[in-house]
Amino acid sequence: MEIQAITGDILHSKADLIVVASYEGESWDNDFLTNLNEMLLGKLFKAAEARGFKGKAGQKMLFPAPDAVDAEFVLVVGLGKLERGISETIREAAGSIVKTAKQLGLSTVAMELFGEDDEDYAPNQNAQAIAEAALLADYKFAQYKKLKNNTIIDRVTIVAENGNDARRAIKGIELAEKIVDGVIVARNLVNAPAQVMSPAKLVEVALDIAKKSNKCIRTKILTREQCEKKHMNAFLAVAEGSDREPKFIHMVYNPERAKKKIALVGKGITFDSGGLSLKPANAMETMKCDMAGAASVLGVFATLASLKPNIEVHGIIAATDNMPSSKAIKPGDIVRASNKKTIEILNTDAEGRLALADSLVYAAKLQPDAIIDLATLTGACMVALGEEIAAVTSNNAKLTILLLDSANSTGEKMWELPLEKNYKKLIESDIADLRNIGKSNYGGVLTAALFLQNFVPDDVAWAHIDIAGPAFAERPITSYIGKGGTGFGVRTLLKLIDEL
Ligand code: BES
Ligand code: ZN
Ligand code: ZN
């Protein structure tokens, strides 16, 4: 899909589908809409009246294009109330426009540069929002199924009022294209079945990203033996039950004169059967998604060579399956992690925190300004926040604000939960330093986060994002986030890196 920004009048644009926007509460008594109404022989106002179209977000009216317009259809979309921060409304609208065009079998679309009447109108940001959503809405995991009637959208044209706006819009589009590339890398990795998405495959992907980066990115891979030498026994314990070799991946993007250093840690469980604490069949159905944190880290790295932020970024992934076998770790086993803390493993299905423990120790040794981990860590997170919201726990208020602000601007929903000191007793073991599951049936997100905190020095700013809900969508989340792997986190982390 080609996305372009030009200057002109939307009604004189040439495209199969022409889209104009209307705000809730906007007076319809303006030249533009009156003119469009006349061209449509009065049908615009009539239909709006009859169907209660008020410009609310999500409202749509479709008309066959009048002769004077070089298009097949004219779509009028509502953008809701004109208020600050309408990026998400714009994304939702742009995604839904692309979906509509596909359904109608139309392959070229022209739309206004939405938000021109907005008080803090920023043409680059609005165009970025349109382009991101248009490209993401067009995504489909089609490796294993031939798509029926799949209209290919060849071109989306964003029509700006003047040349300056169009030039800024082009910058926004270029940025969106790079970011979306990263999101799609993550989506494809999550959607690939575990059968092909092994630890070795993640290594292959990491090496490929480094190879294509024009020497911007280096990748170091640790084998099982090398991890043993680093005493990563918590991570290796998870790998015991699998015949597929575990791999520890460390990627580095290190630009000259970087102003900050950040480490991104992704949970990379390439399949989570639960191990000997086996999951029930239905809970296992989506467990190929248990490497979604790793996928998002790889998605971020796939964009770094083209975005070129002035920040040193480390990507850390402990990749392994979690399988039952006669060699698998058993409930009651005790392991010593690489920071020497001992862990009583009472439930082998709480494996993510074990792999992350050694990953976080490794990350902290790099002395970064901040560590952020992303992990499909707990079912409890879905109980607490549902399928669309990730939980954030952090030892640093500044980092939390930066992360939540970044999430707010990308539309990826995150909510802070506390690292409650009083709950530390719930992960104390009688015979080891820690137990890997809480003693209570409640507060599972918090006990998991408190567990992880044991592997991060207090003076290192750290945020943990539990993405169990939004990483893999069982139903569409927005017009531009469909079923399956979502690439959740990529856009927010890139925004955060940009704001560091
Ligand atoms: N990978 C799962 C968590 C998960 C569940 C992710 C649903 C995405 C969707 C994790 O390893 C797990 O199994 N956690 C256990 C922890 C429990 C044993 C303390 C859980 O949530 O049940
Ligand atoms: Zn598990
Ligand atoms: Zn898991």
Side-chain angles (χ1 to χ4, degrees), residues 267 269 272-275 277 279 287 290 322 347-352 376-377:
K267 174 173 171 181
I269 301 299
D272 183 10
S273 69
S277 313
K279 283 182 185 295
M287 279 305 123
D290 217 19
N322 182 27
N347 189 316
T348 63
D349 196 13
E351 84 300 337
T376 44
L377 203 64

Side-chain angles (χ1 to χ4, degrees), residues 81-124:
K81 292 211 175 77
L82 190 57
E83 49 195 9
R84 302 191 65 180
I86 60 162
S87 290
E88 184 56 18
T89 315
I90 291 179
R91 279 188 288 266
E92 184 60 47
S96 129
I97 290 162
V98 164
K99 288 262 159 71
T100 305
K102 280 175 100 73
Q103 276 159 10
L104 294 168
L106 307 173
S107 55
T108 56
V109 182
M111 63 182 96
E112 293 174 286
L113 180 47
F114 300 140
E116 278 172 333
D117 303 327
D118 191 352
E119 228 178 89
D120 348 276
Y121 171 56
N124 53 330

Side-chain angles (χ1 to χ4, degrees), residues 293-314:
S296 291
V297 171
L298 290 165
V300 167
F301 270 82
T303 71
L304 292 178
S306 63
L307 287 173
K308 295 202 173 12
N310 200 10
I311 303 286
E312 182 175 333
V313 189
H314 292 260

